[in-house]
Structures are given as C-alpha cells and as structure tokens.
C-alpha cells in the first residue's frame, strides 16, 4: 500500500506507538521525525500531559515487513536517548466505530473524589455507555472533568446519572454531542439567589422594618408551598409608604454571586445572548441589565406614586409560568431555537423555565428544583455553569488576559 493512498478497509495492519515519560519541548516532533524515515501514514494521535508527565500515542500504518523490526528498534533507541519509555503494539485498523447515542457528561466536584469518579464511571457503563475520552475542564475553584460517552441515548443516561449524582454529592450535567453545542445560544437566569446572593424584596423589607415577615413568606413560596402571585402581593403590601429613594439604596446593597461577572463576560465574548427574568422588580433588574451588558431583562414593577411605594405592583406578573413565557419570548427575539437555550434558577417558580429550556440548571437550588432540573450545580460559583457548556477554565483566563 502506498503512503498517498491510505487504506479504507477496517482490517489494515497498524502499529500503536506509545511514549511515556517526563515532558519536554520537542518530544512530539522527535517521534514523528523518527517515524518519517519509514514512510508510514498517521491514522490517529492522542497526547496528554499530567503533572509534567507526557503520554503520547500515535497510530500509524504498518511499514513493510522488512522494515518493521528496524522501526521498532529505532523508536526504542530514540526514546531511551531521551529517558522515555516506548511501547509498540501491532494490530488491525483504527478505533472501533463509536456507538450510536453520543453525549458529553460534565462532572463537578469540590473536591472530586476517586470514589465519586468510580461511581459515575460505573453508572455510565451500567447504562450501556462507553467512555471514549476524558479531559479536565477546570482545576479550581472546583474540579471539572468531561467524559465523552457513546453507546446510549442522552435522556436515559441523564436520568441515571442524576440519581447517582444526588446519592454521592457531585454535580453532573449530560448534554447531547453535536454541532449544536458550539452554536450561539441564549442563557436566561433568575436573579434572586442566582445572579445575586440576595432576595431583593428582603432588601426593601429591611428598610421598611418588616424583613422577618417578608423572609418567611419568601421561603415558603420558593419551596412551592405558596402561590407565588399571592405571596408577591402580600409581601409588596408590607412596603407601602416607603420613600422612593430606597430604590437607589437597594441597588447599592445588591451583591453579585461569585463568578457572575465572569460567566456573563465569557458568554458575551462567545456571541451568546444573556438575559434575566425575575419575580423581583424592574427597579433593580433594569440597573443590572445596564451594569452587566445584558440583552434581556424582565421583572415585576413596584408602583410608585408621589415619590412613595404604594405597596402594589403594576403590569403583567412575572411568576412561574411567566418566566417560561419570557424565556420563549427572548428566544424568539434572539432567533435562537428553544433547544439551544440554557436556563438557570434556584426556586420552585423557576421550574417551568428550567423544563422549557434546552438545558435547565438548578443553581444551589431547593430540593424540589434539583430533582426536576436537567442538572444541578451546588457550588457557590456561578461561572461553574461555563464548564457544563464545555468551556475550560484555561480558555476563560486566556481570554481575560488577552483583553487586559
């Protein structure tokens, strides 16, 4: 067979050349310079460096029978000269075809233990999947790794791993593989206890002296124990009479969730559109939209008359159903299919939105939300969502450094 015509049959003879040892510049070039003398074709290459140790695998076509022994001896001699180890294995063809049904499984741990990794890998196998490749996405502030899996459909794999993740205390996201993962998307998130660490109505209530009463009703609503609209009216009524100047004070008190700016900045660089929907108030979300460069924002609006809060809201109520409706509206305006949307939230009133999105992420959410969402993130860093989209920490830092 000639080098200009690579074999097409699955049983053509190949050599797997594996190199191990201390990494240094020039190893990859040196190996292929050595192989070039034998006129072999490159079928596949894999290389990984872990803690300064390189593993380099080259799958090449088998040379002529009279030169294979010389190739083996030459490669071993070259490796020994660099204090590397070499292994050469004869075989047939390339990798076996990947099974139908391909997914990316992202695992977040803080820390990621060997026990939890074993449990996830075993559950993938038990579901009929095969792990084709693993690589690390981030090493801090959480450890994030991604498994490329084939051989089982995404939905049953997601269901199985969600159960496993809840039992062992790690976060797992499962998304279908394919070009759509690289497409421009829309990300829509809740505000209170998601984009920000606060509950905005409680910030207002603190100025009205009724923080405890409002917090109790808020907690019950987020657990799904109360109708959101009724609870909203009840809480807002307690704010009646507050001077409108309190709005500026609350805006200064709002605290962004760690990683929020990084998440939004990175998504915008990638061409994503980003929006927020909130059961809170436009008096705060409009300010966040301007400060963070968001594309969309919608919330309830506090009524202000003669410079004071009336204790009422105006316009369409943004409740559980309203958030899902707004997600669809934003997607239509952005020209993004609903399957290409990501929704992030923590409370029961986010459930319809999480279920409507292509990927629903429960962020430090209540148990009822974690059970219903596609995936859960239970670390206090909002930018961990980037890893679920296949974006690495190194890529984020490199982009930040370039802009600086």
């Amino acid at each position: 067979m000639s080098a200009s015509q690579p074999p097409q049959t699955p049983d053509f003879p190949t050599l797997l050349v594996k190199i191990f040892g201390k990494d240094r510049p020039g190893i990859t070039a040196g190996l292929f310079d050595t192989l070039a003398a034998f006129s072999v074709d490159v079928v596949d290459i894999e290389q990984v460096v872990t803690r300064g140790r390189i593993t380099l695998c080259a799958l090449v076509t088998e040379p002529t029978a009279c030169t294979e022994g010389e190739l083996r001896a030459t490669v071993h001699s070259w490796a020994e000269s660099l204090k590397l180890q070499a292994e050469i294995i004869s075989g047939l063809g390339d990798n076996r075809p990947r099974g139908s049904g391909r997914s990316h499984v992202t695992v977040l741990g803080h820390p990621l233990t060997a026990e939890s990794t074993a449990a996830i890998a075993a559950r993938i196998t038990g579901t009929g999947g095969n792990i084709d490749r693993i690589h690390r996405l981030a090493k801090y502030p959480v450890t994030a790794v991604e498994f490329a899996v084939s051989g089982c459909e995404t939905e049953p794999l997601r269901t199985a791993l969600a159960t496993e993740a809840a039992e062992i205390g790690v976060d797992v996201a499962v998304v279908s593989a394919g070009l759509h993962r690289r497409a421009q998307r829309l990300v829509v998130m809740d505000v209170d206890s998601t984009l920000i660490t606060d509950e905005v109505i409680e910030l207002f209530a603190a100025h009205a002296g009724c923080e405890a009463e409002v917090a109790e009703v808020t907690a019950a609503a987020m657990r799904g124990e109360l109708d959101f609209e009724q609870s909203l009216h009840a809480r807002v009524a307690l704010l009646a009479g507050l001077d409108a100047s309190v709005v500026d004070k609350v805006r200064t008190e709002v605290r962004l969730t760690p990683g929020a700016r990084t998440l939004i900045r990175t998504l915008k660089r990638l061409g994503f559109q980003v929006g927020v929907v909130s059961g809170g108030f436009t008096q705060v979300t409009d300010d966040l939209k301007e400060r963070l460069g968001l594309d969309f924002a919608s919330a309830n609006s506090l009524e202000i008359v003669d410079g004071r809060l009336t204790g009422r809201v105006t316009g369409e109520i943004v409740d559980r159903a309203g958030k899902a409706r707004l997600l669809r509206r934003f997607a239509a305006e952005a020209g993004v299919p609903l399957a290409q949307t990501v929704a992030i939230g923590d409370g029961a009133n986010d459930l319809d939105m999480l279920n409507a999105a292509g990927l629903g992420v429960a962020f430090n959410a209540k148990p009822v939300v974690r059970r219903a969402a596609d995936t859960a993130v239970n670390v206090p860093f909002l930018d961990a969502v980037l890893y679920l989209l296949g974006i690495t920490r190194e890529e984020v830092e490199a982009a930040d450094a370039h802009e600086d």
Side-chain angles (χ1 to χ4, degrees), residues 236-312:
V236 171
L238 296 171
L239 307 181
L242 272 179
D243 191 279
S245 62
V246 75
V247 170
D248 290 332
K249 294 177 183 177
V250 167
R251 286 174 174 174
T252 64
E253 293 167 351
V254 165
R255 298 165 297 171
L256 291 174
T257 299
R261 288 187 183 276
T262 301
L263 171 67
I264 294 168
R265 180 174 65 247
T266 304
L267 292 173
K268 297 294 288 182
R269 284 173 176 162
L270 292 171
F272 284 53
Q273 296 189 60
V274 184
V276 293
V277 291
S278 176
F281 310 111
T282 57
Q283 283 80 1
V284 171
T285 57
D286 287 350
D287 180 63
L288 289 170
K289 180 182 179 183
E290 183 177 351
R291 285 166 51 194
L292 299 174
L294 303 175
D295 300 284
F296 304 98
S298 189
N300 300 302
S301 187
L302 291 169
E303 184 181 62
I304 299 175
V305 176
D306 296 330
R308 292 192 177 275
L309 276 63
T310 66
R312 296 187 294 270

Side-chain angles (χ1 to χ4, degrees), residues 168-191:
I168 63 179
V170 299
D171 299 333
V172 178
V174 182
V175 297
S176 299
L179 287 176
H180 65 274
R181 199 180 187 215
R182 298 177 175 84
Q184 294 182 4
R185 296 190 194 177
L186 169 68
V187 176
V188 176
M189 67 190 88
D190 175 42
V191 175

Side-chain angles (χ1 to χ4, degrees), residues 23-24 27-29 32 45-49 54-58:
D23 188 32
R24 71 199 74 181
I27 290 177
T28 306
F32 286 98
I45 309 172
E46 290 280 353
Q47 177 176 308
V48 63
V49 177
I54 188 172
T55 302
L56 170 59
C57 296

Side-chain angles (χ1 to χ4, degrees), residues 8 35 39 192 196 293 298 344:
Q8 300 299 317
L35 294 172
S39 300
D192 293 8
I196 65 175
S298 189
I344 311 167

